[in-house]
Amino acid sequence: MNLRSSWVTETGQTREDTRLTQTGVTTMTNPVQVRSGVLPGSYGGQYRLSGFWTFGSAAMSATVSEGRAVIQGEISQGVFPVTLPASEVVTFAPGNALYSRKDLLVLKIYDKLYDGGTRTEATIEIIQGAATQDPQAPAVPPRCLPLYEVTVPAGASAGNGGIPWQSALKDLRTPVVALGGILPVEGPSLPGAYPGQYQDAGGALQRWDGGAWVSYPSALGGIIPSSASTTPASYTGQYRDSTTGRLQRWDGTTWVPVVAGPYFVDNRDYGDTTSTTYTSTLTGRINNPLTLSFVAPPSKAVVIGFGCKLRSTSPDHYAFMALKLMQGSTVISDLEDDYAVLAASQNMVSVSTMTRQSGLTAGATYTLTAYFRVVPSTPALKAGFDNTFIRVDPLP
């Protein structure tokens, strides 16, 4: 029978039986096997992962700090728990004369029942890489847990400065926790083993939904806080508090403001025209025409406000400012004197108006353009305009 047990049989319990039936410090990857990794924790609780932390302690030597880890063997072999109760020094071979290389610092399990050798022990070892123009780290053998990748420069030795430890060490450690525990992510985020498993991704608590890690606010249907605003969206209709303080909604492609607008544009340059028909260009202005684009809200309705300071060269002739509303090349609302702002004055006067525009297509982009004219007269008169503006407020 293949079923294994611990502490049941009176005789014959094997090392495999013991390893296969451990249920302590394990992060599952499937119903039988676990993830190899280092147990998290640090003195004083300041760091997520201190076990087997490594630092340069001499020109060609590094010190591996104390720690605990588990190393998964073959599926029938079980998991090997290992502990380094006190720090240990490892020494790297001198560098190649021409090229650098990348070595691996690993925890390695020797099991003669599976290796076919004579050793049965756990060791800290250096797996030396090949020295080439483009060095690559060596392959990881079975029953090995990589701790660090170490770049050994060409010519490195104890006599010429050794290994530059500040830049040579690449941390490869990954954490594991007890079954059901929240895993602190260090390094790559690996797939979960079961729906409902949790991990701390640094800026967000995440839950495995059976196919992906879903940020905890998403799983609750809550609003992602601004502190986790870089967390990817999980579904259309999800909300987040952006770093600018505006509530946003994921539309399936991008984050858009929940309440768009208000939209506003103005031009504070003075300009004039002698045109008796509506024109969008004012003489004397650098920037023409005055336009404003907006996105129609779900209510399909907006309030449009516009105005200016204007005058005409005769107190008996009116100056007009009106708006044209378009969606692409389609005119939605054309120019009409009845909806314009107007005044007849040789002195500058301020005029403005507001109107409701409904029946828009939600999510569509519209453009408003300002036009100006003066009533016909002989001789021709000028109408002057200053501080022109357009504002659009979406209605709920």
Side-chain angles (χ1 to χ4, degrees), residues 96-292:
N96 179 270
L98 297 177
Y99 303 117
S100 61
R101 70 172 193 270
K102 293 184 178 181
D103 295 349
L104 283 182
L105 176 64
V106 303
L107 303 179
K108 185 172 182 179
I109 298 293
Y110 288 91
D111 186 348
K112 64 182 180 182
L113 295 179
Y114 287 80
D115 300 335
T118 59
R119 302 174 67 181
T120 302
E121 61 178 321
T123 64
I124 299 176
E125 292 190 4
I126 297 169
I127 302 176
Q128 188 169 306
T132 64
Q133 285 184 323
D134 182 24
Q136 303 295 320
V140 180
R143 294 172 292 282
C144 270
L145 176 63
L147 299 177
Y148 284 85
E149 177 185 289
V150 181
T151 300
V152 180
S157 68
N160 68 355
I163 297 172
W165 294 109
Q166 290 288 347
S167 59
L169 289 168
K170 180 181 178 181
D171 195 347
L172 302 179
R173 296 171 300 160
T174 56
V176 292
V177 293
L179 182 63
I182 296 175
L183 181 70
V185 176
E186 291 289 327
S189 180
L190 302 177
Y194 56 89
Q197 182 180 358
Y198 285 89
Q199 70 175 18
D200 179 359
L205 186 63
Q206 296 178 331
R207 179 184 182 274
W208 181 255
D209 69 358
W213 289 107
V214 179
S215 295
Y216 192 55
S218 310
L220 291 181
I223 298 172
I224 297 177
S226 60
S227 60
S229 60
T230 57
T231 301
S234 301
Y235 57 87
T236 300
Q238 183 181 1
Y239 290 88
R240 77 171 183 181
D241 179 15
S242 71
T243 54
T244 60
R246 300 187 68 184
L247 187 63
Q248 295 178 325
R249 179 182 181 273
W250 181 254
D251 67 1
T253 304
T254 187
W255 290 103
V256 295
V258 174
V259 180
Y263 303 88
F264 182 84
V265 67
D266 67 349
N267 189 323
R268 299 185 180 184
D269 288 341
Y270 177 85
D272 55 37
T273 182
T274 59
S275 176
T276 59
T277 60
Y278 278 112
T279 177
S280 61
T281 301
L282 292 177
T283 303
R285 274 195 173 174
I286 298 175
N287 297 315
N288 285 291
L290 180 67
T291 62
L292 177 65

Side-chain angles (χ1 to χ4, degrees), residues 11-69:
T11 60
Q13 179 171 323
T14 67
R15 288 172 294 171
E16 283 181 340
D17 292 333
T18 304
R19 293 193 300 264
L20 283 165
T21 54
Q22 290 183 96
T23 56
V25 182
T26 50
T27 297
M28 304 300 294
T29 58
N30 59 48
V32 177
Q33 293 178 294
V34 303
R35 184 185 302 179
S36 297
V38 178
L39 276 66
S42 62
Y43 296 110
Q46 292 179 288
Y47 306 102
R48 294 159 72 93
L49 195 62
S50 290
F52 300 100
W53 177 62
T54 299
F55 58 93
S57 52
M60 299 299 293
S61 298
T63 298
V64 183
S65 302
E66 61 272 23
R68 299 178 66 194

